[in-house]
Amino acid sequence: MEGLIGKEKWRATKDKVQAFVKRAPIVGKATSKILTKVSQADRKIKDREGKNVGIGVKKGKVSVKNPIKSAEYVAKSFSVTKKEKNNKGTTKVLKATKQYERFDDELDADEKDNVLDNIIKQNTRNVLNGGTSYTKNLFTKEKIEAFISNPDIPVNEITYEYSGMILDDLVLVGRDVYHDENLDYRDEYSFYVNEDERFKRAWDTEIGGTYIAPSKREFLILDRVSYPSGMDAVVLKDKINGNVKIAFQGSTPGIDYIIKPQNWTITGMRDYITDWGNNAANATELQKYFRIFNDNSMKPTLFNGSVLGTTRQQEDALEYTQKIISKYGSSVKKLGGHSLGGSNSIYAGSYTGLSSYGVDPAPVNNPGKYIHSGNTVVFVPDYGNGLLNKSIYENGKKTYEFNPMRVPALGIGGAVKGIPVFDQMGVDGMNNHEPNYDDIRITEHTLKEFYMTLEAVK
């Protein structure tokens, strides 16, 4: 161990941790075991664990300034080696794709742990579906390279249904679920049903009509609703596989609408009040800190739901999702939304177990039991510095937290930490609330590796 990171540096780290143990009368049983690992490291640590600790020192994860975190990391250096030994198939696919040296020499213990988890999770799902265990046809060089190049991204449980799906999903909720006032609108992601007709966004397509996504995939519009709370949604059916998804609309008009009286209309003011009233209702979460009793119920209005921190739109989104499930059954697969719509999507998905995704979503304070089932993913524009959210690291994995315009959120939205995040995208112009769709198109070949395959792979 001393030869890997230098005798003086390792001894200083170990002595600092041991000194902390003596000063802390109560560190807990689990923490004591971790600290004991460190105090014994110079005589018990082996080459593989030593390499992990050495990489951790270089990356600042083992430091005299943070003995507890250092101890936890050293413990991870042991456990990740054990995980690899207990799941020999992971080593098999890493070596088969000629990526083992990168894995072993470049990644620290946290990163190795996540890469191993990603391989194990996808293999488990594939075997359950009838596929071959650790098959090279699933764990291709491209997939393993994606895992190692992005070792902080956990895989999700959402199925990658077809080529171009991620771009289709983001353009739908970020642009096409909103009303388009430009009758001549068209760009490289807009396609006409007939050349003599103008392009119609999903929101503007009549029920029974066809919406064409950027991949040129066609979707039948099954329903479109607007609740009194301002909850707006479109239901689409894939014409090829029959799968149904719901896209929730975000806040409209924009927050600056109120300062432009020349644009005011009765409909616009109604939508502005309901949508931004629901956004503000998230702040009722803060009232929990001042309640003497544990009763967090409240009287629902057009803005707030029946529980502190839950908006009326979130409860309406869940009710509507359950209605669509009752009508279309197991063909309902996915929910999505941007901003306020992303909040509605994540909330409804967390209670139904449906796959859901949000683009720079508004916060969710009271999610359901499926919130950490792996069925949810969040996209944060501006490379993790969106208008409402920022990417953070938790236990070595990338997730996000509500951080509107870099203002501390005081615990609002904290219940969703741990959800996988994709942030490999810039912004649309100067707006860091909208993703750059060209970036999504370019990176989709990498992002898709973190989704589950549609069919079993032999």
Side-chain angles (χ1 to χ4, degrees), residues 13-28 30-40 67-68 71:
T13 299
K14 183 171 71 70
D15 291 345
K16 187 79 172 181
V17 175
Q18 289 175 317
F20 177 83
V21 176
K22 294 177 181 178
R23 292 197 305 269
I26 300 176
V27 293
T31 307
S32 295
K33 288 182 178 180
I34 293 173
L35 295 172
T36 300
K37 289 273 191 182
V38 179
S39 67
Q40 297 173 343
I68 292 294

Side-chain angles (χ1 to χ4, degrees), residues 27-260:
V27 293
K29 186 176 181 180
T31 307
S32 295
K33 288 182 178 180
I34 293 173
L35 295 172
T36 300
K37 289 273 191 182
V38 179
S39 67
Q40 297 173 343
D42 59 341
R43 62 179 182 271
K44 292 189 68 175
I45 208 162
K46 298 179 181 179
D47 289 345
R48 292 299 307 285
E49 291 89 342
K51 177 179 281 189
N52 289 338
V53 175
I55 295 172
V57 171
K58 291 178 181 179
K59 294 188 177 183
K61 294 192 173 183
V62 177
S63 167
V64 296
K65 296 179 180 179
N66 199 332
I68 292 294
K69 291 291 184 182
S70 298
E72 292 173 346
Y73 178 83
V74 171
K76 178 68 72 67
S77 296
F78 281 83
S79 65
V80 73
T81 302
K82 185 176 181 180
K83 179 180 289 187
E84 183 184 345
K85 289 179 179 178
N86 292 339
N87 297 275
K88 297 185 184 301
T90 58
T91 306
K92 170 187 171 183
V93 299
L94 287 164
K95 289 183 175 179
T97 54
K98 302 186 186 308
Q99 297 299 306
Y100 191 80
E101 286 189 8
R102 280 188 66 199
F103 170 82
D104 197 39
D105 296 341
E106 298 177 14
L107 304 188
D108 62 44
D110 289 327
E111 294 168 335
K112 285 184 172 77
D113 190 57
N114 190 49
V115 170
L116 293 176
D117 279 346
N118 286 348
I119 295 172
I120 293 168
K121 287 177 182 177
Q122 289 198 342
N123 182 68
T124 300
R125 170 80 169 264
N126 189 49
V127 171
L128 287 174
N129 288 341
T132 302
S133 182
Y134 294 110
T135 172
K136 64 181 181 180
N137 294 322
L138 172 60
F139 296 106
T140 61
K141 182 179 180 181
E142 291 74 19
K143 180 179 289 292
I144 300 302
E145 283 183 336
F147 287 173
I148 293 177
S149 297
N150 302 276
D152 51 6
I153 300 179
V155 300
N156 60 72
E157 296 289 336
I158 303 174
T159 300
Y160 190 74
E161 300 175 23
Y162 61 88
S163 179
M165 183 193 80
I166 299 174
L167 177 62
D168 283 358
D169 284 346
L170 266 65
V171 170
L172 172 63
V173 301
R175 188 193 71 178
D176 289 348
V177 76
Y178 294 91
H179 170 61
D180 175 22
E181 296 181 356
N182 184 354
L183 298 181
D184 297 319
Y185 185 87
R186 188 175 188 180
D187 63 9
E188 66 270 31
Y189 299 128
S190 310
F191 300 98
Y192 292 74
V193 177
N194 298 303
E195 286 300 322
D196 58 344
E197 295 182 0
R198 70 178 181 88
F199 166 73
K200 290 184 179 180
R201 296 184 179 187
W203 181 259
D204 295 322
T205 301
E206 63 278 5
I207 295 176
T210 298
Y211 160 72
I212 303 181
S215 68
K216 296 188 178 180
R217 192 104 165 175
E218 295 188 357
F219 293 84
L220 180 69
I221 302 298
L222 298 178
D223 196 20
R224 180 175 56 249
V225 295
S226 293
Y227 275 50
S229 65
M231 193 285 291
D232 300 318
V234 175
V235 184
L236 306 91
K237 178 181 179 181
D238 190 319
K239 286 189 174 183
I240 294 179
N241 60 27
N243 289 343
V244 174
K245 60 183 176 182
I246 305 174
F248 295 98
Q249 190 180 100
S251 305
T252 180
I255 194 170
D256 60 346
Y257 178 83
I258 197 70
I259 63 173
K260 299 176 181 179

Side-chain angles (χ1 to χ4, degrees), residues 380-387 406 423-428 430-436 439:
V380 180
D382 201 11
Y383 305 103
N385 294 288
L387 179 69
R406 310 289 78 87
D423 58 10
Q424 300 91 330
M425 71 201 82
V427 299
D428 182 17
M430 299 296 292
N431 183 0
N432 67 338
H433 196 35
E434 306 283 347
N436 184 298
D439 289 343

